[in-house]
C-alpha cells in the first residue's frame, strides 16, 4: 500500500448534496493525491472512500488506495477480450509473477501496464475505457446521498505511479448527475441492480414474439438473474444493462421477482442513500433475510405489496416524501397494516422519537461515527430477531 503523507491540504464537511460540488471546486490542475472521505452514517462496511487524482484528473476510486491488483480487477470486469482463453492465460501468468508483492503495490503499475501492452493483453485505450466505467459506477454509489468529512492527501508519487490520462473532474460529476436522473427513472421499474428477473412466458406467447427474439431474451437471462450479474457477465456498464432490461420489463417481456423465497423472511428498506442501502443489504442478507431495497419512496409501496415483508425500514428524511408520509400510505393498505415498521434517522431528536412511537413504529438511530457502527449492528440484529419471530 502507498504510504500517505499526514499533511492534509484541504479539509471540509459535506452533506448528501454538496460533496460533488466541493470536490470539483477544491481540486486544482496541480492536485495529485487522494481525496479521502469518511462517512458519518452506516453506508459502507469500510467507512472510508478514496478518489485518486493525477494532476487534477480522476483516475481511480474505491474503498482502498489504488494498487496494481485493483487495476487488473477493473480490466477483468470491463474488458470482454480478457475472457478469451489466450488473454485469460496471460493474465493468470502475470498475476502469478506479481503475487510476491503485497497486494501488487501501486509503484509497479507502470511495469504492469507496459507488460500488458507488450503482451497484447489490453491497450492503454482499452484500460482507460474500463477505468472510466469503474469511476462512473463508484461515483453513482458514493457521490450523492451521504454526509461526512473529506481531506485531500497529497501523494506526488502518483504522477509517476499512474501513467494514465485521467478524466476531467467536473465533466465526470456532470455525467454522474445525468446518470442519477436515469437511475431514478429506472428504479420505478427495477428497484435495484440486484433485483431478480424472469421471462414472462405468458406475455411472450400473447404477443407472438418471433423465435429469434425469444432466444435473445433467453440468452440474456442466462448471463445472470439480476442486472448486476448480467452486466458483469457481459463486461458492460451496469446502468446501460439495467436501462435495457427496464425497457423489456416495461414491455412486459420480463418481470421482476420480488416474492419471498422459501422460508426466508423478506425485509424492505426505503432510503435515499445508495450507500446505506448497499450496507444494509450486505448486513441483513448475511443474517438470512431477503432484502428489497428502494431509493424511491413514491414507487416503493408496490414493492412492499408484492414482497409481503416481515418488517419495513423507512428513512425519516427523504427529498420527495418523508418516511412519516410514506408510513401513512403503508398503513392504509390492509395487507401491510400489521407489519412492523422501523424508522431510521441520523437526527436523534425527541420529536422524531415521539412521532415514531405515536405512529406505532419502532425507532432506530443511524450511527453518527464509525465507533457507533458495532452498537448499531447489534441493535439492528436484536430488533430483526424480535420483529420477525
Amino acid at each position: 500500500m502507498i504510504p500517505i503523507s499526514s499533511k492534509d491540504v484541504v479539509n471540509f464537511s459535506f452533506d448528501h448534496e454538496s460533496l460533488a460540488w466541493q470536490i470539483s471546486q477544491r481540486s486544482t490542475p496541480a492536485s495529485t493525491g487522494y481525496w479521502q472521505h469518511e462517512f458519518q452514517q452506516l453506508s459502507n462496511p469500510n467507512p472510508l472512500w478514496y478518489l485518486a487524482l493525477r494532476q487534477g484528473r480522476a483516475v481511480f476510486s474505491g474503498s482502498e488506495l489504488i494498487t496494481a491488483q485493483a487495476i487488473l480487477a477493473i480490466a477483468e470486469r470491463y474488458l470482454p477480450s480478457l475472457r478469451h482463453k489466450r488473454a485469460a492465460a496471460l493474465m493468470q501468468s502475470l498475476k502469478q509473477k506479481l503475487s510476491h508483492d503485497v497486494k501488487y503495490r501501486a509503484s509497479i503499475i507502470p511495469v504492469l501496464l507496459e507488460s500488458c501492452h507488450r503482451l497484447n493483453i489490453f491497450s492503454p485505450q482499452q484500460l482507460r475505457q474500463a477505468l472510466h466505467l469503474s469511476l462512473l459506477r463508484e461515483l453513482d454509489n458514493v457521490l450523492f446521498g451521504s454526509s461526512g468529512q473529506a481531506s485531500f492527501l497529497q501523494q506526488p508519487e502518483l504522477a509517476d505511479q499512474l501513467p494514465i490520462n485521467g478524466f476531467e473532474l467536473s465533466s465526470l460529476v456532470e455525467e454522474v448527475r445525468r446518470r442519477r436522473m436515469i437511475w431514478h427513472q429506472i428504479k420505478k421499474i427495477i428497484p435495484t441492480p440486484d433485483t431478480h428477473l424472469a421471462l414472462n412466458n405468458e406475455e411472450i406467447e400473447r404477443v407472438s414474439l418471433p423465435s429469434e427474439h425469444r432466444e435473445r431474451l433467453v440468452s440474456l437471462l442466462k448471463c445472470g438473474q439480476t442486472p448486476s450479474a448480467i452486466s458483469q457477465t457481459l463486461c458492460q456498464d451496469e446502468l446501460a444493462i439495467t436501462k435495457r432490461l427496464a425497457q423489456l420489463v416495461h414491455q412486459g417481456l420480463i418481470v421482476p421477482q420480488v416474492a419471498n423465497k422459501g422460508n426466508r423472511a423478506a425485509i424492505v428498506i426505503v432510503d435515499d442513500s445508495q450507500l446505506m442501502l448497499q450496507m444494509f443489504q450486505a448486513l441483513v442478507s448475511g443474517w438470512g433475510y431477503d432484502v428489497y431495497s428502494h431509493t424511491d419512496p413514491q414507487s416503493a409501496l408496490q414493492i412492499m405489496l408484492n414482497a409481503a415483508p416481515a418488517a419495513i425500514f423507512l428513512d425519516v428524511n427523504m427529498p420527495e416524501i418523508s418516511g412519516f408520509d410514506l408510513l401513512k400510505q403503508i398503513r392504509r393498505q390492509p395487507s401491510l397494516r400489521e407489519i412492523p415498521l422501523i424508522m431510521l434517522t441520523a437526527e436523534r431528536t425527541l420529536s422524531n422519537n415521539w412521532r415514531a412511537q405515536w405512529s406505532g413504529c419502532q425507532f432506530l438511530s443511524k450511527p453518527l461515527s464509525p465507533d457507533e457502527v458495532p452498537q448499531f449492528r447489534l441493535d439492528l440484529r436484536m430488533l430483526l430477531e424480535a420483529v420477525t419471530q
Side-chain angles (χ1 to χ4, degrees), residues 83-265:
R83 306 290 173 89
H84 298 159
K85 186 175 181 180
R86 174 187 174 275
L90 288 172
M91 284 284 284
Q92 185 61 32
S93 175
L94 190 59
K95 288 179 181 179
Q96 289 176 352
K97 291 179 181 179
L98 297 173
S99 61
H100 67 280
D101 201 311
V102 178
K103 285 193 175 181
Y104 318 159
R105 66 182 186 274
S107 60
I108 65 172
I109 289 178
V111 177
L112 168 70
L113 298 184
E114 192 280 330
S115 297
C116 289
H117 186 48
R118 176 172 48 82
L119 293 171
N120 199 29
I121 298 176
F122 55 76
S123 67
Q125 293 78 13
Q126 289 174 314
L127 177 63
R128 191 170 188 273
Q129 179 184 8
L131 288 171
H132 182 239
L133 292 176
S134 177
L135 273 166
L136 289 176
R137 186 175 188 274
E138 282 285 330
L139 295 174
D140 280 347
N141 293 330
V142 174
L143 206 53
F144 300 97
S146 300
S147 60
Q149 302 286 327
S151 303
F152 188 77
L153 308 174
Q154 297 184 79
Q155 187 66 46
E157 296 89 338
L158 285 181
D160 297 322
Q161 292 174 349
L162 300 176
I164 300 167
N165 184 22
F167 305 91
E168 205 274 321
L169 199 51
S170 61
S171 297
L172 265 182
V173 169
E174 286 307 309
E175 187 171 2
V176 173
R177 288 187 188 278
R178 291 192 295 270
R179 289 168 64 90
R180 187 187 185 197
M181 295 174 64
I182 297 172
W183 273 120
H184 181 74
Q185 294 301 316
I186 289 174
K187 286 172 182 175
K188 297 177 181 178
I189 303 172
I190 299 178
T192 75
D194 294 318
T195 300
H196 284 251
L197 304 170
L199 290 177
N200 186 352
N201 292 308
E202 292 183 4
E203 182 65 14
I204 290 173
E205 293 295 335
R206 189 188 71 81
V207 300
S208 300
L209 194 69
S211 59
E212 61 270 21
H213 291 176
R214 179 167 185 160
E215 289 174 3
R216 289 175 190 170
L217 283 177
V218 172
S219 177
L220 183 63
L221 291 186
K222 280 184 178 179
C223 295
Q225 296 299 308
T226 68
S228 178
I230 293 170
S231 67
Q232 291 189 46
T233 301
L234 298 179
C235 299
Q236 294 189 23
D237 176 33
E238 193 170 77
L239 175 59
I241 289 294
T242 310
K243 182 179 178 181
R244 178 182 172 189
L245 292 167
Q247 293 171 345
L248 295 173
V249 172
H250 183 70
Q251 295 169 13
L253 300 178
I254 61 177
V255 292
Q257 300 292 290
V258 296
N260 190 22
K261 306 180 188 73
N263 295 320
R264 289 163 59 99

Side-chain angles (χ1 to χ4, degrees), residues 20-34:
W21 181 85
Q22 294 211 55
I23 289 178
S24 297
Q25 293 297 311
R26 295 174 185 270
S27 300
T28 71
S31 299
T32 297
Y34 290 93

Side-chain angles (χ1 to χ4, degrees), residues 265-269 308-313 339-342 383-384 387-388:
I267 305 296
V268 171
I269 176 173
I312 298 170
F313 288 78
I339 293 176
L341 282 164
I342 299 94
L383 191 154
L384 280 170
V387 300
T388 59

